[in-house]
Amino acid sequence: MLFKGFGFGFFVVLAVVLNLDIFAINYPTFLRQHYDNPKSNVRKSYCNAMMQSRDMTKPNCKPLNSFIHDTKNRIIAVCGSEGTPFENRLQHSLRPFRVTTCKMRGSSILPPCEYRENTSPRYIVIACENRLPVHYEEGQI
């Protein structure tokens, strides 16, 4: 009987941890992975340079990543008055942002990493904790 209760408790804790894992990164990590304002002027391919300089190419290539080209304050505002609740604890921006999305070329996630870019205005969907962005929802592009 004790083991049965332990198993259920373990399952509940595991479910909570796995559910929170998607939002496990924090604000500084969010900034490193998704903030670039003004848009960096790089000599070679923007996406190849940015993904490498922001540590998203080792040990494996991150398949998809977006950089938001706007002020930190305007991005943070999506967690408050400039956002509206969206599925599963996410916030949808009320206005579009200038965003560059980097998508891997090919199917191998092993370096060297090669990316193609798409820059366009779009609404962003983010997760917030303590009124700060901690996750960019790439699936809502």
Side-chain angles (χ1 to χ4, degrees):
M1 189 77 159
L2 177 64
F3 182 73
K4 189 174 186 180
F6 172 77
F8 177 73
F10 178 74
F11 173 75
V12 169
V13 170
L14 182 62
V16 168
V17 168
L18 291 176
N19 190 35
L20 293 176
D21 188 49
I22 190 170
F23 305 121
I25 63 173
N26 57 24
Y27 180 61
T29 302
F30 175 88
L31 292 177
R32 178 180 57 82
Q33 291 184 349
H34 301 294
Y35 173 74
D36 184 38
N37 189 57
K39 184 177 179 180
S40 296
N41 186 12
V42 296
R43 293 182 186 173
K44 53 184 179 177
S45 162
Y46 173 83
C47 283
N48 289 346
M50 291 300 293
M51 294 297 284
Q52 185 173 5
S53 71
R54 301 287 180 96
D55 296 325
M56 291 183 275
T57 60
K58 291 181 182 176
N60 296 322
C61 308
K62 185 175 181 184
L64 183 68
N65 191 71
S66 295
F67 294 99
I68 305 166
H69 312 297
D70 212 318
T71 66
K72 291 177 187 175
N73 287 340
R74 291 180 81 180
I75 297 168
I76 290 170
V78 175
C79 295
S81 62
E82 292 298 314
T84 184
F86 193 71
E87 310 167 349
N88 196 23
R89 301 184 345 209
L90 299 171
Q91 289 286 110
H92 186 281
S93 65
L94 295 178
R95 64 169 191 80
F97 285 77
R98 196 166 131 243
V99 177
T100 298
T101 298
C102 302
K103 187 173 182 181
M104 253 182 48
R105 296 178 194 253
S107 59
S108 173
I109 62 167
L110 299 175
C113 310
E114 291 289 324
Y115 294 90
R116 65 177 189 263
E117 77 178 70
N118 177 4
T119 301
S120 63
R122 67 184 78 128
Y123 295 91
I124 63 172
V125 177
I126 59 177
C128 303
E129 288 181 3
N130 300 317
R131 301 186 66 84
L132 293 172
V134 294
H135 171 75
Y136 183 94
E137 184 60 35
E138 296 285 358
Q140 300 300 321
I141 298 172

